[in-house]
Amino acid sequence: MNDLIEFDSKRQVFHLHNGNISYLFSVEEGGTLCHLYFGRRVQKYHGELKYPRVDRGFSGNLPGSLDRTFSRDTLPKEYSGAGEMDYHTPAAVIRRNDGSNALMLRYSGYSIEDGKPELEGLPAAWVEKPEEAQTLTVTLKDEPTGLLYDLLYTIYRDVDIITRSVRVRNAGNEDVFLEKAASLQIDFTDRDFDSICLPGAHANERHPERQRVGYGIQKFGSIRGTSSHQMNPFLALADRKADEYSGDVYGFAMVYSGNHSFEVERDQIDQTHLVIGINDYNFSWKLEPGSAFQTPEVLMTYSDRGFDRMSQSFHRIIRDRIVRSRFAHEERPILVNNWEATYFDFDEEKLKTIVDDAKDLGIEMFVLDDGWFGHRDDDNSSLGDWKVYERKFPSGLGHFADYVHEKGLGFGLWFEPEMISYDSDLYRDHPEYLMHVPGREPSPSRNQYVLDLTRKEVVDNLFEQVSEILESGRIDYVKWDMNRHLSDVYSASLPKDRQGEVYHRYVLGLYDLMERLTEKFPDVLFEGCSGGGGRFDAGMAYYMPQIWTSDNTDAVSRLTIQYGTSLVYPISMTTAHVSAIPNHQTGRKTPFETRGNAAMSAVFGYELDLTRMSQEDRDKVKEQVSCYKDIRNLVQYGTFHRLKSPVDTNQAAWMFVSDDRRDVCVMTFQVLASAQPSLTKTKLTGLDPELEYENLETGEVFGGDELMELGFYDPVVHQDYTSKMYRFRAL
Ligand code: DGJ
């Protein structure tokens, strides 16, 4: 049933389409794949958009051809190799044993299949049934080396997503080194774009940054070994006038948790060239004859209705076809985590008092964070020794877990499997497991070091240790942390000509470990974490349906962090906790209600010492817990719309609406108060204009069209950091 992908053999044009979008490219002179179009659906392509042939100086021509009007340098392409007369940043770079790097990729064939193949060893979008999607594989060949580049395109039927990746096969008879192997290239003509990326820092993640795409190459990426707090693996290209609800927006997100690169280039004739893939910094992959290399996948979407629609497509594909956990569509428990309550200073008796209070307040899970293992009283020791700390739990961890369960709460446990402390039995027994360059002292970060996950025996050891704890059957949730980035990137287990593989092999080792653990313990809810949101990406979402968004729990900081996160990632993946004031990261004192509304805009919980709260605050916790139980399904699985951006402004607003458009929750926030405030309104979206909606607090009734077109005035409040939640229900 090949109805999503067509090949017009007369014009040599591939057309991928669903009800909303079309993607077109053709095979041109010299077997060059020429990008034609990506945008709103067209029924049929009749050949209108053939790229004009122009003789341009210093843009050379095809080998063996005297046609000065055809140049691979100017033609918009699907995939460019270095050395093939294309001066854009290439998608593919190789190195042969003779030192040359030339590559001339020419079309050699295609195949179309229903469904979507799995990518070996890598997370990727999937299908439940083959009719949900179709996959086109176009093969390019470099004759002298025998290298085959399979460009994989999958288009989904019911969500506006095309996935792309590349498989490189060595069908020649000599080793070749891949020095750059991008997952996606796309070239646009006649566009004037802004780029939107998500830079940040620890405790300050994913702040949207918008700027015009200018001349030269701009590279957004990470060389930290992880997807990073500093630059999320996402980029959008948008019309300069595009906004939340109008204009063309192209979104790209990698399903990958390691080094990444998003290169965008405006060229000499104002074309826009985009290349996305594993960062080529310290990357070199030895491809022996007969072997293959699979790049990570990129999710690509087009929206003709601004950023909102781009986000809806990302949210749907990630929530419904990336996350595999059985919790993908389940309501997530409200938890209390002891980190900001106790840090390392706790024992079983202290924790029991928090558990008792959690029970009284209606909280559903207790999460035991860092400090329960080895002899860990601070961050100097014990990483690698996943055995209970007997001084803190004299009767064993199971004893405490049973106590939590007897109270009717779930029990969650923190791990940081990828790390090792010098002061650990694991290091004493296996110093070679620590990633380091022989003859150099490795750099510490948070007093800890990275395990060499490229080694199978290290992955096996971690699998055994973590399994042993989870096998007790007493752990309902795991928080998987990672508190430093990679340095001293070298593996003693690999030969010198494979050291350029270590960054990527680390990620493959991590995926292998998570694959084995999540498969063995399907009933454990896994939450990803890396010093907060340092590895908040679609690759992690494949294994872990939710991720700790940021170590910054300040409600005001969270507005921008959660707003930026929502550009790509669904609410069901985003966790947020109410914490104490003054806030531990910013020192800010925000009202309880504001902290609650910010945290209830995500997968909700608490991170404070419940035993030290005033009665007034305890009452508020009870109210919040019961309110969240009421809105939980709507928040976690409804449609999320951004209404007002907190980026460089004094307000934020967003809303959640159920699929049937009858149930609505709106959160508004004002950062600073003013003596003479301007009057502002909040206008809703996504409602049924024909329906009438009741404000559940006041009983007032409004038309859906009124709420969307007229909106309502925001309250005038003479206090900083205020927030209000509105609930509307269709009559
Ligand atoms: C960083 C995490 O983001 C925190 O929530 C906490 O788990 C600490 N690590 C513990 O070391």
Side-chain angles (χ1 to χ4, degrees), residues 234-255:
F234 156 78
L235 193 79
L237 295 177
D239 273 352
R240 303 217 57 222
K241 287 192 182 134
D243 60 22
E244 194 61 29
Y245 293 102
S246 71
D248 275 8
V249 178
Y250 297 88
F252 305 88
M254 271 187 93
V255 188

Side-chain angles (χ1 to χ4, degrees), residues 572-635:
S572 55
M573 187 175 160
T574 307
T575 59
H577 299 165
V578 172
S579 61
I581 51 168
N583 177 268
H584 293 194
Q585 293 80 37
T586 62
R588 203 174 347 247
K589 293 183 183 173
T590 51
F592 211 90
E593 189 179 14
T594 303
R595 281 177 275 155
N597 288 351
M600 282 195 279
S601 300
V603 174
F604 182 58
Y606 291 87
E607 184 141 346
L608 40 71
D609 190 345
L610 299 171
T611 65
R612 293 167 62 185
M613 287 171 63
S614 66
Q615 189 54 45
E616 195 191 337
D617 282 354
R618 291 174 69 85
D619 292 342
K620 286 185 190 148
V621 171
K622 268 194 183 157
E623 267 173 45
Q624 280 173 352
V625 166
S626 113
C627 167
Y628 190 72
K629 286 178 182 168
D630 206 26
I631 60 172
R632 168 161 48 191
N633 206 279
L634 176 61
V635 167

Side-chain angles (χ1 to χ4, degrees), residues 267-311:
D267 74 9
Q268 53 172 341
I269 48 173
D270 296 307
Q271 299 179 154
T272 308
H273 173 77
L274 177 66
V275 171
I276 300 173
I278 293 179
N279 201 306
D280 57 355
Y281 167 76
N282 199 358
F283 175 82
S284 174
W285 194 276
K286 183 175 174 183
L287 202 64
E288 292 170 339
S291 64
F293 179 81
Q294 172 65 54
T295 74
E297 183 161 280
V298 179
L299 309 171
M300 172 168 98
T301 186
Y302 162 73
S303 155
D304 60 356
R305 272 162 278 170
F307 296 101
D308 176 83
R309 199 173 163 81
M310 172 195 79
S311 300

Side-chain angles (χ1 to χ4, degrees), residues 89 97 130 185 216 245 267 278 402 418 420 463 607 642:
T89 185
N97 287 329
Q185 173 181 328
Y245 293 102
D267 74 9
I278 293 179
D402 289 346
E418 299 154 73
I420 184 164
F463 177 69
E607 184 141 346
R642 293 173 294 269

